[in-house]
Amino acid sequence: QVQLVESGGGSVQAGGSLRLSCAVSGYTYNVAWFRQAPGKEREKVAQILTGSGTTYHTDPVKGRFTISQDKAKNTVYLQMNSLKPEDSGMYYCAARQTVSRADQYNYWGRGTQVTVSS
């Protein structure tokens, strides 16, 4: 069983920064950050393979967001810089314990809200 608890959301002005944290308990193979804005579909933002540390960032956030982990603290971070109003939404941490061809995640946190004002 995996438990995920997000923190670090808040309200910032465009151009500002936030760092989200996801406290992880249990074994994981892949941890990802997703976001969902009102009226829009949920989208993946970034992922990290917890064993190798290999990361992937989607095009909308590439160069602005960075996913990382602190194994000693069992925490995955999402550093968000140069924030834009379109980055606003609920951010979720998700995890899975195996490779998934369908890119499905079995475990989800409750989310943390990010609001970016112009």
Side-chain angles (χ1 to χ4, degrees):
Q1 190 73 9
V2 176
Q3 292 186 331
L4 308 168
V5 179
E6 304 96 332
S7 62
S11 297
V12 296
Q13 290 191 329
S17 298
L18 282 174
R19 188 178 77 161
L20 306 183
S21 299
C22 175
V24 180
S25 64
Y27 167 76
T28 61
Y29 168 75
N30 178 323
V31 177
W33 284 98
F34 286 77
R35 67 185 180 188
Q36 187 168 23
K40 294 189 177 181
E41 291 188 356
R42 185 174 59 197
E43 63 173 346
K44 180 184 281 190
V45 172
Q47 72 176 37
I48 186 166
L49 301 184
T50 54
S52 65
T54 302
T55 62
Y56 166 77
H57 300 81
T58 59
D59 286 344
V61 306
K62 199 170 293 184
R64 299 187 299 122
F65 292 11
T66 303
I67 190 171
S68 64
Q69 64 177 344
D70 184 330
K71 290 188 175 182
K73 295 183 178 180
N74 294 319
T75 301
V76 173
Y77 301 100
L78 185 68
Q79 178 66 44
M80 305 187 296
N81 298 328
S82 302
L83 282 161
K84 305 175 182 180
E86 52 263 44
D87 294 319
S88 297
M90 187 69 77
Y91 282 69
Y92 298 93
C93 183
R96 61 172 180 249
Q97 295 180 311
T98 61
V99 173
S100 170
R101 290 185 177 182
D103 200 29
Q104 290 184 333
Y105 289 81
N106 308 100
Y107 303 97
W108 293 84
R110 293 187 174 185
T112 186
Q113 180 68 38
V114 172
T115 302
V116 184
S117 58
S118 57

